[in-house]
Amino acid sequence: IKLALFLNLPSLWLSDRMKRIILQMLGWIGVANVPSLYRIKKIMKQAVELCCNSTRSFKTLTGKQVFYNSIAYTIRLQLAHPKTWEHLSFHPNLTGPINDLASCGKW
Protein backbone atom coordinates (compact mmCIF):
# COMPACT_ATOMS: atom_id res chain seq x y z
CA ILE A 1 0.00 0.00 0.00
CA LYS A 2 2.91 2.37 0.66
CA LEU A 3 4.03 1.99 -2.95
CA ALA A 4 0.48 2.67 -4.16
CA LEU A 5 0.32 5.82 -2.07
CA PHE A 6 3.75 6.96 -3.26
CA LEU A 7 2.85 6.52 -6.92
CA ASN A 8 -0.37 8.51 -6.45
CA LEU A 9 0.89 11.53 -4.54
CA PRO A 10 -0.81 14.71 -5.80
CA SER A 11 2.51 16.55 -6.03
CA LEU A 12 4.12 13.72 -8.00
CA TRP A 13 2.80 13.72 -11.53
CA LEU A 14 3.64 10.41 -13.15
CA SER A 15 2.11 8.94 -16.26
CA ASP A 16 1.11 5.27 -16.32
CA ARG A 17 4.14 4.59 -18.50
CA MET A 18 6.49 6.12 -15.93
CA LYS A 19 4.81 4.15 -13.14
CA ARG A 20 5.30 0.91 -15.11
CA ILE A 21 8.99 1.73 -15.56
CA ILE A 22 9.38 2.34 -11.80
CA LEU A 23 7.65 -0.96 -11.02
CA GLN A 24 9.82 -2.80 -13.54
CA MET A 25 12.98 -1.27 -12.08
CA LEU A 26 11.92 -2.39 -8.59
CA GLY A 27 11.66 -5.93 -9.96
CA TRP A 28 15.10 -5.67 -11.56
CA ILE A 29 16.81 -4.64 -8.31
CA GLY A 30 15.31 -7.60 -6.49
CA VAL A 31 12.36 -6.17 -4.56
CA ALA A 32 10.01 -9.03 -3.69
CA ASN A 33 6.28 -9.00 -4.48
CA VAL A 34 6.17 -5.92 -6.70
CA PRO A 35 2.51 -5.39 -7.63
CA SER A 36 1.33 -4.66 -11.13
CA LEU A 37 0.05 -1.23 -12.10
CA TYR A 38 -3.45 -2.69 -12.42
CA ARG A 39 -3.26 -3.94 -8.81
CA ILE A 40 -2.06 -0.53 -7.56
CA LYS A 41 -4.92 1.23 -9.34
CA LYS A 42 -7.38 -1.26 -7.85
CA ILE A 43 -6.00 -0.67 -4.33
CA MET A 44 -6.21 3.10 -4.73
CA LYS A 45 -9.78 2.90 -6.01
CA GLN A 46 -10.76 0.83 -2.95
CA ALA A 47 -8.97 3.27 -0.64
CA VAL A 48 -10.79 6.24 -2.14
CA GLU A 49 -14.14 4.47 -1.78
CA LEU A 50 -13.43 3.71 1.90
CA CYS A 51 -11.87 6.99 2.97
CA CYS A 52 -13.15 9.78 0.79
CA ASN A 53 -16.42 11.57 0.36
CA SER A 54 -17.35 10.28 -3.03
CA THR A 55 -19.59 12.53 -5.04
CA ARG A 56 -22.74 10.71 -6.02
CA SER A 57 -24.86 11.51 -9.01
CA PHE A 58 -28.43 10.81 -10.00
CA LYS A 59 -30.96 11.96 -12.55
CA THR A 60 -34.02 13.91 -11.50
CA LEU A 61 -37.48 13.21 -12.85
CA THR A 62 -36.93 15.93 -15.44
CA GLY A 63 -33.75 14.21 -16.63
CA LYS A 64 -31.29 16.69 -15.14
CA GLN A 65 -28.01 15.26 -13.80
CA VAL A 66 -27.44 16.25 -10.15
CA PHE A 67 -24.33 15.66 -8.03
CA TYR A 68 -24.22 15.59 -4.22
CA ASN A 69 -21.93 14.64 -1.34
CA SER A 70 -22.81 12.71 1.79
CA ILE A 71 -23.80 15.08 4.60
CA ALA A 72 -22.89 12.44 7.20
CA TYR A 73 -19.29 12.35 5.92
CA THR A 74 -19.05 16.15 5.95
CA ILE A 75 -20.34 16.35 9.54
CA ARG A 76 -17.90 13.62 10.59
CA LEU A 77 -15.01 15.62 9.13
CA GLN A 78 -16.15 18.77 10.90
CA LEU A 79 -16.47 16.99 14.25
CA ALA A 80 -13.00 15.49 13.88
CA HIS A 81 -11.32 18.83 13.14
CA PRO A 82 -9.92 20.34 16.40
CA LYS A 83 -10.31 23.98 15.33
CA THR A 84 -13.94 23.45 14.37
CA TRP A 85 -14.69 21.49 17.54
CA GLU A 86 -14.02 24.57 19.72
CA HIS A 87 -16.86 26.49 18.09
CA LEU A 88 -19.53 23.77 18.26
CA SER A 89 -22.20 23.75 20.93
CA PHE A 90 -24.66 20.91 21.39
CA HIS A 91 -28.22 21.33 22.56
CA PRO A 92 -29.83 18.91 25.03
CA ASN A 93 -31.92 16.04 23.78
CA LEU A 94 -35.52 16.77 24.69
CA THR A 95 -37.77 13.78 25.06
CA GLY A 96 -41.10 15.58 25.05
CA PRO A 97 -42.59 18.82 23.83
CA ILE A 98 -41.63 22.12 25.42
CA ASN A 99 -44.85 23.24 27.08
CA ASP A 100 -43.85 25.59 29.87
CA LEU A 101 -41.22 28.14 30.75
CA ALA A 102 -39.23 25.69 32.90
CA SER A 103 -38.69 23.44 29.90
CA CYS A 104 -37.33 26.36 27.89
CA GLY A 105 -34.49 26.71 30.38
CA LYS A 106 -32.90 23.57 28.92
CA TRP A 107 -32.14 25.53 25.78
Side-chain angles (χ1 to χ4, degrees):
I1 287 189
K2 291 178 185 178
L3 180 63
L5 292 173
F6 171 74
L7 291 177
N8 289 291
L9 288 173
S11 59
L12 184 64
W13 294 359
L14 294 174
S15 66
D16 284 350
R17 188 174 187 178
M18 291 171 74
K19 290 176 187 177
R20 280 192 191 99
I21 291 171
I22 291 171
L23 294 173
Q24 190 174 21
M25 288 171 52
L26 288 173
W28 288 344
I29 62 172
V31 175
N33 301 326
V34 177
S36 65
L37 186 59
Y38 171 77
R39 179 70 181 142
I40 288 178
K41 285 184 177 185
K42 189 175 176 182
I43 289 170
M44 288 309 296
K45 184 177 179 183
Q46 291 171 348
V48 166
E49 288 174 359
L50 288 174
C51 302
C52 299
N53 190 8
S54 60
T55 301
R56 297 177 180 100
S57 68
F58 68 96
K59 282 194 175 185
T60 62
L61 294 174
T62 59
K64 187 175 184 179
Q65 188 79 15
V66 178
F67 299 92
Y68 68 97
N69 293 328
S70 168
I71 188 69
Y73 180 80
T74 306
I75 292 171
R76 216 175 342 173
L77 280 181
Q78 293 299 320
L79 290 175
H81 197 283
K83 290 189 177 183
T84 305
W85 182 259
E86 302 169 352
H87 303 288
L88 295 176
S89 62
F90 298 97
H91 299 289
N93 188 9
L94 299 174
T95 56
I98 297 175
N99 54 9
D100 60 335
L101 193 57
S103 297
C104 293
K106 294 179 183 177
W107 289 94

